[in-house]
Amino acid sequence: QVHLVESGGGSVQTGGSLKLACLPSGSTSIKRMGWFRQVPGKEREGIASISLTGGGTYYADSVKGRFTISRDAAKNTLFLQMNSLNPEDTAMYYCAARNSYCLGTCLRDDLYMYWGQGTQVAVSS
């Protein structure tokens, strides 16, 4: 079983930055982690994923060039650096993990079996 805890959400103005963190516990066999976001009434959107074995990173077009997913192996922590934020980025952000390998971008939420509780990001104009 994997337990994920996100932190770092908050309120910023357009153009601002935030850095989210996700701390996993309970398993050392995680192979892929991702960040998702969801706005009420809309489907959950996969925005970034990272392979914990090969280090490859993948992004949705909506965040490419503005967001960066990374992992500090020593601290066993996943990060999402978000720059140039705009009101369309307002959402609940979730960290997700899976214990098996995943080919491709792996930005579909049904590929992940472990989820955090979410952290809210609000961007005002």
Side-chain angles (χ1 to χ4, degrees), residues 24-100:
S25 61
S27 172
T28 59
S29 61
I30 295 174
K31 300 294 191 295
R32 178 72 73 110
M33 297 189 74
W35 286 101
F36 291 76
R37 64 186 183 186
Q38 189 169 26
V39 175
K42 294 189 176 182
E43 292 186 356
R44 190 157 46 189
E45 177 190 15
I47 56 174
S49 75
I50 184 168
S51 167
L52 270 58
T53 53
T57 58
Y58 306 86
Y59 298 93
D61 289 342
S62 57
V63 305
K64 198 173 295 182
R66 300 187 299 123
F67 291 10
T68 302
I69 188 172
S70 63
R71 179 176 175 261
D72 185 328
K75 297 180 179 179
N76 193 32
T77 302
L78 180 73
F79 297 103
L80 183 69
Q81 177 66 49
M82 305 186 296
N83 298 329
S84 301
L85 286 162
N86 59 65
E88 288 69 40
D89 296 314
T90 295
M92 184 71 80
Y93 283 71
Y94 298 91
C95 169
R98 57 180 278 144
N99 284 344
S100 55

